[in-house]
Every structure is written in C-alpha cells, then in structure tokens.
Amino acid sequence: MEAITAFIDQYGLLMAQGTWDTIVMTVLSTLFAYVIGIPLGVLLILTAPGGLHPHRVFNSVLGWLVNIGRSIPFIILIVFMIPFTRAIVGTSLGVGGAIVPLTVAAAPFVARMVEQSLAEIDGGLVEAAQSFGAGTWQIITKVFLVESLPSLIRGASITFITLFGFVAMAGTVGAGGIGDIAIRYGYQRYQDDVMIVAIVLCVVIVQVAQSVANLIARKIDHRVK
Amino acid sequence: MIRLEHLSKTYSGRTGTHQALRGIDLHIEAGDVFGIIGQSGAGKSTLVRCINLLERPTEGHVLIDGKDITAYRGKELAKLRESIGMIFQNFSLFQQRTVLRNVMFPLELRHANKREAEARARELLKLVGLEDKGDRYPVQLSGGQQQRVAIARALANNPKIMLCDEATSALDTMTTHAILNLLRDINRELGVTMVVITHSLSVAQQVCNKVAVLDEGVIVEQGATAEVFGNPQSEATRRLIAADKGLLLDEYVAAQHEPYMGVPETPASAIAAGVINAADSIQAGNPAGTAAILDPVREAKGGDK
Ligand SMILES: Nc1ncnc2c1ncn2[C@@H]1O[C@H](COP(=O)(O)OP(=O)(O)OP(=O)(O)O)[C@@H](O)[C@H]1O
Ligand SMILES: [Mg+2]
C-alpha cells in the first residue's frame, strides 16, 4: 500500500501526462489519417476496373503511391520527414511534431482499409441507387459511407491500435508519451516498476479502445437481427 | 412509350467480346405489362438495363415517350431515371436503413422536403401492405416483405415505368403469386407500364399481356401472351414451355402435348390461385388486401414473418 502511494507520489503526474499525450497523439493522428485516407480509399474504389469511374492509369498510380507510403518503416519516416514536419507545425518535437509523421504513415494504411470496407458493399446496392438517379457524390455519401459504416469503425479501431504502437516509437525520438517514459525510466534507468505500470497502461488502453469500437460497430450494424 | 430500335450490346473483356443483344426492335406501349422471357444468359437483364441506361447500348436507340434518350448523361439522365422505377431479384435494399428510409431514398436523392417524403413513404408502405414495418430493418423481413419494400421504393417518385428484373425468382410459389398480383394492381390502378423479366412461363402468364421471347440476344417471337404460348412458333419458345412442364424439348415434342395454356394444377399453385382469387374478389381496388389474406396463410405455413 505504502509502496503504491510512494510510486504515485513519485511518478503519478509523469505517467498521467505520458498517458494523456499518448492518447492525444493517437486520437489526433487517427483522425487526420482518416481525413486523408477516406478520400483516397474512395478514389481507389471509384477508379478500380468495374468501378463507377474506372481509370486504369489513375488507379495504378494511386495504388502505387499508397504502397510506397506503406512500405517505408515508420522509424525511418519520422527522421526523413523532420524538415517537412518543422515546416508544417514549426517543430519536430513533442505531440505536434509527432502527429505529422504519424498521419502520413497511417493515411495509406487507412486508404487500404477504407477500400477494403467499400469493396464489401453489394454491387447491387450501387446499381439500385443509380437506377433511382443517384450521382457519384450521392452514392459515396448515401450508399458507400452509410452501408460500410460498421466495417469502417472496426477498421478505425485497428488503425488506432496500430498508431498506438507507432506513438511509442515516436516517443523515442522526442515525441514524449508513455512509450518514451517506459524507455527512459524503465529501460535506461532500470525502473522495473515504471516499466510494468507503463505496459499495463498500454494493455488497458488498447483493450478499452477495441471493446468500445466493437460495441459501437455492433450497435450500429443493422445487418444482424 | 418505350421503343427500342436496332439495339445491340457487345461486352468486351479480357477474354474477348460477347454480343449479348443483337438488333433488338421492340415497342412497349403505355399500360402494358410486357414480359421478356428467355433462358439464362439470353440477354434479358442486359436488355432491361439498357432501358434506363444502367447499361449503354453499343448500337441502336432507346426512345421513351418519343424522345431518344440513348445519349443522356448527368442531370438529364438522373431526371429520366426518376420516372423509371426498378426492382431486382435479390431486392437490393439498403441494409443500414430502416424500411421507411429505404422507401424515402429516391426522394432524398432529389432533396425532397423531409416531412413530405416521410408521409409519401408511409403511404406507399400502406399500399404494399407493410404500414406497420416502417421502423424495421430489411434483415428482419421475409423475402416477400423485402420485395414489397423494394416495390414501394420503386414507386416513390411516381414513375411511369417500372422495370422488374426477375423480381420473383428468389421467392416461393405462394409469395410469387402475391407479389405478381401486387404488380398487376399497380399497373391497373396507378397506370404504371411494366417490363417484367423472367425465365418462368407461369410468371409471364400470370401478369403479362404481351411477351417477347429472347434467345441468344435475339427476339425470336413476340405478341399477346396467350398467342405466343398457345401457338409457339420458335424452338426457343417450345423449349421454355417444355421446361415449365419439367420436360426436355424432345420429350415435349414427342408427347405432342396440347399447346400449353395454364398453370399446371399442382397442389401449391392451386391453393395459391384460390387464395388470390378470393383476395381479388374481396379486395378489388386495394392491393393491400392480398397481403391481408395471404398473412393467415403464411402463418399456417409456419410463421413467415
Ligand atoms: N458485364 C458483363 N461483361 C461481360 N459479359 C456479360 C456482362 N454481363 C452479361 N454478360 C454476358 O451477356 C450474356 C447475357 O447476360 P444477361 O445477364 O443479360 O442474361 P440473362 O438473360 O439476364 O440471364 P439470367 O437469367 O441468368 O439472369 C451472358 O452470356 C453474360 O455472360
Ligand atoms: Mg438476368
């Protein structure tokens, strides 16, 4: 009991701040990654062979860019992007500095997830919408994004959890957060208690994120009775 | 009302080209329930999809009310499609929308006033006998009920034309009769011209005043339903008749059956016909009546809810 109080006195604030920073970085970069990734995923589906606006060249080039984005290891991407990050947010450090590479790393991943979710939609629904006079924009907003919403939310939880891991890596190059604490205190200073608490916090955050996402996805999916 | 002139459609893919329609000439008059019948792969779906340009013909013209629409695109095409409802074999209802919001979908597309759209949707659900199912989701309905929702949705814009692509092929005999009756009522009472695609002779016989027989992309025979099936001129038609009797063409010809005129008196269709006749006489003028009468039958059958 005393040990716990002592630990909280010594590291409580630090760990709370670290946890908060990690959550903020993960949530914001997930959000920004979707802002970029959804249009990319939609474009991939629209221009695919047999899509609403098939365009072989555009589709290949975009698919290619997305693959390149996905193939650069994150830790290299962070370093490579430092000048670009500075230009956008003024710093390559801290929460702000981490969000730029995190977003860039996640956007292509999200694009593929969105593409996957949209590909699952029954082509008959798109056709039905067309038969009532729906244009492309209406099909995107009223069919694609509505019918695939449960799948998109499940995808978002995967993105969130993947980015959560990336945030820990970003922590080692000056982003802060719980991963940074685990490395600096737990690893470099042999503070096993800090390490263990950090790991437990990570596990809890990931579990909660997954459960909440599953719950929402189930709640809004009307394909199950 | 609908005129197809020298219509051809060639699909070209990696494996080569396939001519699905070859020089189709067809005239469907206002008020017709026009059947297009043929074997699987004959080109029926391709033909009906050319009417609302879901498929672009490679050659020829589609005329609706005398206007050549073949080159319509964008807004013009959307506007045209508002006047042509369509229903599908597997219903194609939006799974994440309630029944009511499915029916409102076509109205939503043209930014109709929300309250008016809802009132209209409820009115249509009543017409198809599902006024109490508005808040359900499609997955909670039986196939027959889902097709009724699809019919209500197709009627939302007050179309002049309704295209039905194998609308009853996923349904059992009894439900098929009920849906066909509903379509016939809609044709008679709302004056909607119907194009009914089917591979089934009995479906064509039950609702169509005219039929065209499609075989390998060519119309081999057309005319009044009773005449075409009563006095078949082409092998394709004879094959369809034979298939409906569960025979191969050779067997049918060898047996020298009388020209085929009616639904075979199997117990199921006899019951269905009886129920439908009752429904007609009691509830003439109210399509919902068929549902009211069929519901107890469904319950007896084991709760098709
Ligand atoms: N998108 C397409 N690309 C290539 N070929 C196609 C395409 N759609 C249809 N076809 C071919 O065109 C022919 C006619 O197809 P269609 O779907 O119109 O037949 P159908 O009479 O409706 O058959 P079914 O009763 O099985 O629905 C078939 O041989 C089919 O393989
Ligand atoms: Mg077909």
Side-chain angles (χ1 to χ4, degrees), chain A residues 175-217:
Chain A
I178 201 153
D180 176 42
I181 292 170
I183 298 278
R184 272 194 292 135
Y185 292 80
Y187 179 64
Q188 287 162 357
R189 296 186 206 166
Y190 307 106
Q191 308 268 302
D192 287 343
D193 46 357
V194 175
M195 184 66 111
I196 288 166
V197 171
I199 290 172
V200 169
L201 280 172
C202 289
V203 170
V204 169
I205 291 169
V206 167
Q207 292 291 350
V208 168
Q210 185 69 68
S211 307
V212 169
N214 285 349
L215 197 75
I216 296 174

mmCIF file of all heavy atoms in Angstrom, chain A residues 175-217:
data_model
loop_
_atom_site.group_PDB
_atom_site.id
_atom_site.type_symbol
_atom_site.label_atom_id
_atom_site.label_comp_id
_atom_site.label_asym_id
_atom_site.label_seq_id
_atom_site.Cartn_x
_atom_site.Cartn_y
_atom_site.Cartn_z
ATOM 1 N N ALA A 175 8.931 12.602 -29.024
ATOM 2 C CA ALA A 175 7.507 12.924 -29.023
ATOM 3 C C ALA A 175 6.914 12.862 -27.615
ATOM 4 O O ALA A 175 5.841 13.383 -27.369
ATOM 5 C CB ALA A 175 6.746 11.965 -29.937
ATOM 6 N N GLY A 176 7.609 12.215 -26.687
ATOM 7 C CA GLY A 176 7.041 12.042 -25.347
ATOM 8 C C GLY A 176 6.033 10.921 -25.345
ATOM 9 O O GLY A 176 6.004 10.085 -26.239
ATOM 10 N N GLY A 177 5.228 10.889 -24.296
ATOM 11 C CA GLY A 177 4.210 9.848 -24.208
ATOM 12 C C GLY A 177 4.685 8.669 -23.388
ATOM 13 O O GLY A 177 5.810 8.635 -22.879
ATOM 14 N N ILE A 178 3.811 7.703 -23.307
ATOM 15 C CA ILE A 178 4.045 6.609 -22.367
ATOM 16 C C ILE A 178 5.187 5.693 -22.809
ATOM 17 O O ILE A 178 5.935 5.158 -21.992
ATOM 18 C CB ILE A 178 2.734 5.828 -22.156
ATOM 19 C CG1 ILE A 178 2.804 5.051 -20.838
ATOM 20 C CG2 ILE A 178 2.426 4.897 -23.303
ATOM 21 C CD1 ILE A 178 1.447 4.832 -20.249
ATOM 22 N N GLY A 179 5.363 5.572 -24.117
ATOM 23 C CA GLY A 179 6.456 4.736 -24.629
ATOM 24 C C GLY A 179 7.788 5.357 -24.260
ATOM 25 O O GLY A 179 8.751 4.667 -23.870
ATOM 26 N N ASP A 180 7.855 6.656 -24.370
ATOM 27 C CA ASP A 180 9.058 7.410 -24.035
ATOM 28 C C ASP A 180 9.399 7.207 -22.556
ATOM 29 O O ASP A 180 10.557 6.986 -22.194
ATOM 30 C CB ASP A 180 8.782 8.887 -24.344
ATOM 31 C CG ASP A 180 9.937 9.778 -23.933
ATOM 32 O OD1 ASP A 180 11.091 9.374 -24.183
ATOM 33 O OD2 ASP A 180 9.676 10.842 -23.362
ATOM 34 N N ILE A 181 8.390 7.236 -21.697
ATOM 35 C CA ILE A 181 8.606 7.047 -20.260
ATOM 36 C C ILE A 181 9.141 5.633 -19.995
ATOM 37 O O ILE A 181 10.088 5.449 -19.239
ATOM 38 C CB ILE A 181 7.293 7.289 -19.477
ATOM 39 C CG1 ILE A 181 6.926 8.767 -19.567
ATOM 40 C CG2 ILE A 181 7.434 6.857 -18.028
ATOM 41 C CD1 ILE A 181 5.535 9.086 -19.054
ATOM 42 N N ALA A 182 8.511 4.665 -20.658
ATOM 43 C CA ALA A 182 8.933 3.280 -20.451
ATOM 44 C C ALA A 182 10.395 3.106 -20.827
ATOM 45 O O ALA A 182 11.160 2.439 -20.130
ATOM 46 C CB ALA A 182 8.058 2.335 -21.270
ATOM 47 N N ILE A 183 10.821 3.744 -21.917
ATOM 48 C CA ILE A 183 12.209 3.627 -22.365
ATOM 49 C C ILE A 183 13.163 4.355 -21.404
ATOM 50 O O ILE A 183 14.145 3.798 -20.938
ATOM 51 C CB ILE A 183 12.384 4.211 -23.801
ATOM 52 C CG1 ILE A 183 11.525 3.435 -24.798
ATOM 53 C CG2 ILE A 183 13.855 4.213 -24.204
ATOM 54 C CD1 ILE A 183 12.107 2.152 -25.300
ATOM 55 N N ARG A 184 12.805 5.594 -21.116
ATOM 56 C CA ARG A 184 13.741 6.423 -20.343
ATOM 57 C C ARG A 184 13.889 5.933 -18.899
ATOM 58 O O ARG A 184 14.983 5.837 -18.372
ATOM 59 C CB ARG A 184 13.287 7.878 -20.349
ATOM 60 C CG ARG A 184 13.840 8.646 -21.574
ATOM 61 C CD ARG A 184 13.694 10.136 -21.421
ATOM 62 N NE ARG A 184 12.276 10.536 -21.459
ATOM 63 C CZ ARG A 184 11.762 11.398 -20.607
ATOM 64 N NH1 ARG A 184 12.493 11.936 -19.658
ATOM 65 N NH2 ARG A 184 10.491 11.715 -20.707
ATOM 66 N N TYR A 185 12.737 5.652 -18.252
ATOM 67 C CA TYR A 185 12.802 5.231 -16.850
ATOM 68 C C TYR A 185 12.954 3.720 -16.734
ATOM 69 O O TYR A 185 13.828 3.231 -16.040
ATOM 70 C CB TYR A 185 11.555 5.697 -16.086
ATOM 71 C CG TYR A 185 11.506 7.192 -15.937
ATOM 72 C CD1 TYR A 185 11.077 7.998 -16.979
ATOM 73 C CD2 TYR A 185 11.909 7.797 -14.739
ATOM 74 C CE1 TYR A 185 11.043 9.365 -16.859
ATOM 75 C CE2 TYR A 185 11.876 9.173 -14.610
ATOM 76 C CZ TYR A 185 11.444 9.960 -15.676
ATOM 77 O OH TYR A 185 11.417 11.311 -15.544
ATOM 78 N N GLY A 186 12.061 3.012 -17.439
ATOM 79 C CA GLY A 186 12.033 1.568 -17.276
ATOM 80 C C GLY A 186 13.281 0.885 -17.809
ATOM 81 O O GLY A 186 13.854 0.022 -17.155
ATOM 82 N N TYR A 187 13.712 1.331 -19.002
ATOM 83 C CA TYR A 187 14.825 0.648 -19.653
ATOM 84 C C TYR A 187 16.162 1.261 -19.261
ATOM 85 O O TYR A 187 17.026 0.579 -18.716
ATOM 86 C CB TYR A 187 14.621 0.692 -21.169
ATOM 87 C CG TYR A 187 15.719 0.042 -21.956
ATOM 88 C CD1 TYR A 187 15.963 -1.326 -21.834
ATOM 89 C CD2 TYR A 187 16.531 0.786 -22.816
ATOM 90 C CE1 TYR A 187 16.975 -1.936 -22.540
ATOM 91 C CE2 TYR A 187 17.553 0.189 -23.531
ATOM 92 C CZ TYR A 187 17.760 -1.173 -23.393
ATOM 93 O OH TYR A 187 18.776 -1.765 -24.103
ATOM 94 N N GLN A 188 16.303 2.570 -19.508
ATOM 95 C CA GLN A 188 17.607 3.181 -19.307
ATOM 96 C C GLN A 188 17.987 3.307 -17.832
ATOM 97 O O GLN A 188 19.152 3.309 -17.476
ATOM 98 C CB GLN A 188 17.657 4.544 -20.011
ATOM 99 C CG GLN A 188 17.736 4.360 -21.532
ATOM 100 C CD GLN A 188 17.366 5.609 -22.322
ATOM 101 O OE1 GLN A 188 16.986 6.620 -21.725
ATOM 102 N NE2 GLN A 188 17.478 5.528 -23.634
ATOM 103 N N ARG A 189 16.967 3.463 -16.935
ATOM 104 C CA ARG A 189 17.307 3.624 -15.513
ATOM 105 C C ARG A 189 16.893 2.415 -14.671
ATOM 106 O O ARG A 189 16.816 2.520 -13.447
ATOM 107 C CB ARG A 189 16.630 4.884 -14.955
ATOM 108 C CG ARG A 189 17.130 6.154 -15.620
ATOM 109 C CD ARG A 189 16.544 7.370 -14.939
ATOM 110 N NE ARG A 189 16.500 8.490 -15.859
ATOM 111 C CZ ARG A 189 15.819 9.594 -15.652
ATOM 112 N NH1 ARG A 189 15.073 9.705 -14.550
ATOM 113 N NH2 ARG A 189 15.847 10.563 -16.512
ATOM 114 N N TYR A 190 16.581 1.358 -15.343
ATOM 115 C CA TYR A 190 16.250 0.103 -14.654
ATOM 116 C C TYR A 190 15.110 0.235 -13.657
ATOM 117 O O TYR A 190 15.123 -0.386 -12.606
ATOM 118 C CB TYR A 190 17.494 -0.483 -13.962
ATOM 119 C CG TYR A 190 18.643 -0.633 -14.906
ATOM 120 C CD1 TYR A 190 19.718 0.230 -14.847
ATOM 121 C CD2 TYR A 190 18.620 -1.623 -15.891
ATOM 122 C CE1 TYR A 190 20.774 0.122 -15.740
ATOM 123 C CE2 TYR A 190 19.682 -1.750 -16.776
ATOM 124 C CZ TYR A 190 20.758 -0.868 -16.701
ATOM 125 O OH TYR A 190 21.795 -0.982 -17.590
ATOM 126 N N GLN A 191 14.152 1.091 -13.901
ATOM 127 C CA GLN A 191 12.999 1.227 -13.010
ATOM 128 C C GLN A 191 11.929 0.221 -13.439
ATOM 129 O O GLN A 191 11.003 0.571 -14.185
ATOM 130 C CB GLN A 191 12.418 2.637 -13.086
ATOM 131 C CG GLN A 191 13.426 3.738 -12.874
ATOM 132 C CD GLN A 191 13.497 4.132 -11.429
ATOM 133 O OE1 GLN A 191 12.498 4.514 -10.854
ATOM 134 N NE2 GLN A 191 14.650 4.019 -10.807
ATOM 135 N N ASP A 192 12.034 -0.979 -12.940
ATOM 136 C CA ASP A 192 11.108 -2.019 -13.371
ATOM 137 C C ASP A 192 9.655 -1.664 -13.097
ATOM 138 O O ASP A 192 8.762 -1.969 -13.887
ATOM 139 C CB ASP A 192 11.443 -3.355 -12.683
ATOM 140 C CG ASP A 192 12.718 -3.956 -13.265
ATOM 141 O OD1 ASP A 192 13.111 -3.501 -14.369
ATOM 142 O OD2 ASP A 192 13.301 -4.836 -12.618
ATOM 143 N N ASP A 193 9.410 -1.014 -11.961
ATOM 144 C CA ASP A 193 8.009 -0.680 -11.624
ATOM 145 C C ASP A 193 7.405 0.257 -12.670
ATOM 146 O O ASP A 193 6.263 0.088 -13.086
ATOM 147 C CB ASP A 193 7.896 -0.102 -10.206
ATOM 148 C CG ASP A 193 8.947 0.966 -9.926
ATOM 149 O OD1 ASP A 193 9.808 1.220 -10.813
ATOM 150 O OD2 ASP A 193 8.904 1.559 -8.835
ATOM 151 N N VAL A 194 8.200 1.219 -13.131
ATOM 152 C CA VAL A 194 7.690 2.138 -14.156
ATOM 153 C C VAL A 194 7.388 1.354 -15.443
ATOM 154 O O VAL A 194 6.349 1.533 -16.078
ATOM 155 C CB VAL A 194 8.706 3.265 -14.450
ATOM 156 C CG1 VAL A 194 8.225 4.140 -15.603
ATOM 157 C CG2 VAL A 194 8.925 4.094 -13.205
ATOM 158 N N MET A 195 8.305 0.481 -15.781
ATOM 159 C CA MET A 195 8.137 -0.324 -16.988
ATOM 160 C C MET A 195 6.833 -1.129 -16.915
ATOM 161 O O MET A 195 6.028 -1.125 -17.861
ATOM 162 C CB MET A 195 9.333 -1.278 -17.124
ATOM 163 C CG MET A 195 9.307 -2.110 -18.395
ATOM 164 S SD MET A 195 9.499 -1.079 -19.855
ATOM 165 C CE MET A 195 11.120 -1.574 -20.403
ATOM 166 N N ILE A 196 6.628 -1.784 -15.787
ATOM 167 C CA ILE A 196 5.442 -2.642 -15.663
ATOM 168 C C ILE A 196 4.153 -1.821 -15.714
ATOM 169 O O ILE A 196 3.207 -2.162 -16.431
ATOM 170 C CB ILE A 196 5.527 -3.482 -14.362
ATOM 171 C CG1 ILE A 196 6.607 -4.563 -14.553
ATOM 172 C CG2 ILE A 196 4.194 -4.130 -14.026
ATOM 173 C CD1 ILE A 196 7.029 -5.244 -13.284
ATOM 174 N N VAL A 197 4.153 -0.702 -14.981
ATOM 175 C CA VAL A 197 2.952 0.138 -14.991
ATOM 176 C C VAL A 197 2.685 0.649 -16.407
ATOM 177 O O VAL A 197 1.536 0.673 -16.879
ATOM 178 C CB VAL A 197 3.082 1.311 -13.992
ATOM 179 C CG1 VAL A 197 1.929 2.289 -14.166
ATOM 180 C CG2 VAL A 197 3.116 0.779 -12.569
ATOM 181 N N ALA A 198 3.744 1.029 -17.118
ATOM 182 C CA ALA A 198 3.584 1.527 -18.492
ATOM 183 C C ALA A 198 2.959 0.450 -19.377
ATOM 184 O O ALA A 198 2.037 0.715 -20.154
ATOM 185 C CB ALA A 198 4.928 1.967 -19.062
ATOM 186 N N ILE A 199 3.450 -0.774 -19.221
ATOM 187 C CA ILE A 199 2.918 -1.869 -20.035
ATOM 188 C C ILE A 199 1.449 -2.115 -19.713
ATOM 189 O O ILE A 199 0.609 -2.241 -20.609
ATOM 190 C CB ILE A 199 3.748 -3.163 -19.827
ATOM 191 C CG1 ILE A 199 5.131 -2.980 -20.456
ATOM 192 C CG2 ILE A 199 3.037 -4.369 -20.438
ATOM 193 C CD1 ILE A 199 6.099 -4.100 -20.156
ATOM 194 N N VAL A 200 1.146 -2.137 -18.406
ATOM 195 C CA VAL A 200 -0.243 -2.357 -18.003
ATOM 196 C C VAL A 200 -1.145 -1.265 -18.589
ATOM 197 O O VAL A 200 -2.223 -1.548 -19.136
ATOM 198 C CB VAL A 200 -0.366 -2.403 -16.464
ATOM 199 C CG1 VAL A 200 -1.828 -2.359 -16.040
ATOM 200 C CG2 VAL A 200 0.314 -3.651 -15.926
ATOM 201 N N LEU A 201 -0.687 -0.017 -18.512
ATOM 202 C CA LEU A 201 -1.488 1.091 -19.060
ATOM 203 C C LEU A 201 -1.734 0.885 -20.564
ATOM 204 O O LEU A 201 -2.847 1.092 -21.056
ATOM 205 C CB LEU A 201 -0.781 2.428 -18.824
ATOM 206 C CG LEU A 201 -0.941 3.006 -17.409
ATOM 207 C CD1 LEU A 201 -0.030 4.217 -17.236
ATOM 208 C CD2 LEU A 201 -2.395 3.395 -17.147
ATOM 209 N N CYS A 202 -0.687 0.483 -21.275
ATOM 210 C CA CYS A 202 -0.821 0.258 -22.726
ATOM 211 C C CYS A 202 -1.872 -0.812 -22.997
ATOM 212 O O CYS A 202 -2.751 -0.642 -23.853
ATOM 213 C CB CYS A 202 0.514 -0.180 -23.332
ATOM 214 S SG CYS A 202 1.721 1.143 -23.396
ATOM 215 N N VAL A 203 -1.765 -1.914 -22.250
ATOM 216 C CA VAL A 203 -2.703 -3.014 -22.459
ATOM 217 C C VAL A 203 -4.142 -2.533 -22.209
ATOM 218 O O VAL A 203 -5.047 -2.800 -23.006
ATOM 219 C CB VAL A 203 -2.360 -4.218 -21.542
ATOM 220 C CG1 VAL A 203 -3.470 -5.253 -21.583
ATOM 221 C CG2 VAL A 203 -1.038 -4.827 -21.954
ATOM 222 N N VAL A 204 -4.316 -1.785 -21.110
ATOM 223 C CA VAL A 204 -5.658 -1.312 -20.767
ATOM 224 C C VAL A 204 -6.213 -0.404 -21.872
ATOM 225 O O VAL A 204 -7.349 -0.563 -22.317
ATOM 226 C CB VAL A 204 -5.650 -0.583 -19.406
ATOM 227 C CG1 VAL A 204 -6.970 0.142 -19.173
ATOM 228 C CG2 VAL A 204 -5.371 -1.576 -18.285
ATOM 229 N N ILE A 205 -5.367 0.524 -22.332
ATOM 230 C CA ILE A 205 -5.839 1.471 -23.360
ATOM 231 C C ILE A 205 -6.275 0.710 -24.626
ATOM 232 O O ILE A 205 -7.339 0.960 -25.188
ATOM 233 C CB ILE A 205 -4.741 2.505 -23.704
ATOM 234 C CG1 ILE A 205 -4.527 3.442 -22.507
ATOM 235 C CG2 ILE A 205 -5.131 3.314 -24.948
ATOM 236 C CD1 ILE A 205 -3.305 4.325 -22.634
ATOM 237 N N VAL A 206 -5.437 -0.229 -25.046
ATOM 238 C CA VAL A 206 -5.753 -0.976 -26.268
ATOM 239 C C VAL A 206 -7.033 -1.801 -26.085
ATOM 240 O O VAL A 206 -7.914 -1.818 -26.950
ATOM 241 C CB VAL A 206 -4.571 -1.887 -26.676
ATOM 242 C CG1 VAL A 206 -5.009 -2.877 -27.744
ATOM 243 C CG2 VAL A 206 -3.427 -1.034 -27.193
ATOM 244 N N GLN A 207 -7.152 -2.451 -24.950
ATOM 245 C CA GLN A 207 -8.350 -3.260 -24.696
ATOM 246 C C GLN A 207 -9.607 -2.401 -24.707
ATOM 247 O O GLN A 207 -10.623 -2.768 -25.297
ATOM 248 C CB GLN A 207 -8.249 -3.973 -23.334
ATOM 249 C CG GLN A 207 -7.181 -5.044 -23.266
ATOM 250 C CD GLN A 207 -7.511 -6.247 -24.112
ATOM 251 O OE1 GLN A 207 -8.620 -6.369 -24.623
ATOM 252 N NE2 GLN A 207 -6.547 -7.128 -24.295
ATOM 253 N N VAL A 208 -9.516 -1.257 -24.023
ATOM 254 C CA VAL A 208 -10.688 -0.382 -23.957
ATOM 255 C C VAL A 208 -11.057 0.106 -25.356
ATOM 256 O O VAL A 208 -12.224 0.057 -25.762
ATOM 257 C CB VAL A 208 -10.429 0.820 -23.010
ATOM 258 C CG1 VAL A 208 -11.520 1.876 -23.162
ATOM 259 C CG2 VAL A 208 -10.359 0.330 -21.569
ATOM 260 N N ALA A 209 -10.029 0.528 -26.129
ATOM 261 C CA ALA A 209 -10.292 1.033 -27.480
ATOM 262 C C ALA A 209 -10.996 -0.042 -28.314
ATOM 263 O O ALA A 209 -12.000 0.222 -28.982
ATOM 264 C CB ALA A 209 -8.985 1.455 -28.148
ATOM 265 N N GLN A 210 -10.469 -1.262 -28.231
ATOM 266 C CA GLN A 210 -11.046 -2.350 -29.027
ATOM 267 C C GLN A 210 -12.484 -2.656 -28.598
ATOM 268 O O GLN A 210 -13.372 -2.814 -29.435
ATOM 269 C CB GLN A 210 -10.174 -3.606 -28.877
ATOM 270 C CG GLN A 210 -10.605 -4.759 -29.759
ATOM 271 C CD GLN A 210 -10.353 -4.474 -31.234
ATOM 272 O OE1 GLN A 210 -9.220 -4.392 -31.663
ATOM 273 N NE2 GLN A 210 -11.412 -4.304 -32.000
ATOM 274 N N SER A 211 -12.703 -2.706 -27.300
ATOM 275 C CA SER A 211 -14.041 -3.035 -26.810
ATOM 276 C C SER A 211 -15.056 -1.964 -27.197
ATOM 277 O O SER A 211 -16.166 -2.277 -27.629
ATOM 278 C CB SER A 211 -14.036 -3.179 -25.289
ATOM 279 O OG SER A 211 -13.047 -4.084 -24.905
ATOM 280 N N VAL A 212 -14.641 -0.707 -27.026
ATOM 281 C CA VAL A 212 -15.562 0.382 -27.382
ATOM 282 C C VAL A 212 -15.907 0.317 -28.866
ATOM 283 O O VAL A 212 -17.081 0.413 -29.256
ATOM 284 C CB VAL A 212 -14.948 1.759 -27.014
ATOM 285 C CG1 VAL A 212 -15.763 2.897 -27.620
ATOM 286 C CG2 VAL A 212 -14.861 1.901 -25.500
ATOM 287 N N ALA A 213 -14.872 0.105 -29.697
ATOM 288 C CA ALA A 213 -15.114 0.040 -31.144
ATOM 289 C C ALA A 213 -16.048 -1.112 -31.497
ATOM 290 O O ALA A 213 -16.987 -0.959 -32.281
ATOM 291 C CB ALA A 213 -13.792 -0.091 -31.902
ATOM 292 N N ASN A 214 -15.796 -2.273 -30.899
ATOM 293 C CA ASN A 214 -16.655 -3.433 -31.168
ATOM 294 C C ASN A 214 -18.094 -3.148 -30.766
ATOM 295 O O ASN A 214 -19.035 -3.487 -31.489
ATOM 296 C CB ASN A 214 -16.166 -4.659 -30.396
ATOM 297 C CG ASN A 214 -14.919 -5.241 -31.029
ATOM 298 O OD1 ASN A 214 -14.539 -4.874 -32.128
ATOM 299 N ND2 ASN A 214 -14.267 -6.132 -30.303
ATOM 300 N N LEU A 215 -18.224 -2.522 -29.601
ATOM 301 C CA LEU A 215 -19.558 -2.224 -29.087
ATOM 302 C C LEU A 215 -20.313 -1.290 -30.051
ATOM 303 O O LEU A 215 -21.450 -1.549 -30.438
ATOM 304 C CB LEU A 215 -19.426 -1.575 -27.708
ATOM 305 C CG LEU A 215 -20.688 -1.573 -26.876
ATOM 306 C CD1 LEU A 215 -20.923 -2.971 -26.323
ATOM 307 C CD2 LEU A 215 -20.569 -0.569 -25.728
ATOM 308 N N ILE A 216 -19.611 -0.223 -30.468
ATOM 309 C CA ILE A 216 -20.252 0.738 -31.383
ATOM 310 C C ILE A 216 -20.604 0.044 -32.694
ATOM 311 O O ILE A 216 -21.729 0.160 -33.196
ATOM 312 C CB ILE A 216 -19.321 1.947 -31.662
ATOM 313 C CG1 ILE A 216 -19.087 2.719 -30.373
ATOM 314 C CG2 ILE A 216 -19.933 2.858 -32.721
ATOM 315 C CD1 ILE A 216 -18.066 3.838 -30.514
ATOM 316 N N ALA A 217 -19.630 -0.708 -33.229
ATOM 317 C CA ALA A 217 -19.862 -1.362 -34.523
ATOM 318 C C ALA A 217 -21.069 -2.288 -34.445
ATOM 319 O O ALA A 217 -21.898 -2.332 -35.357
ATOM 320 C CB ALA A 217 -18.618 -2.132 -34.960
#
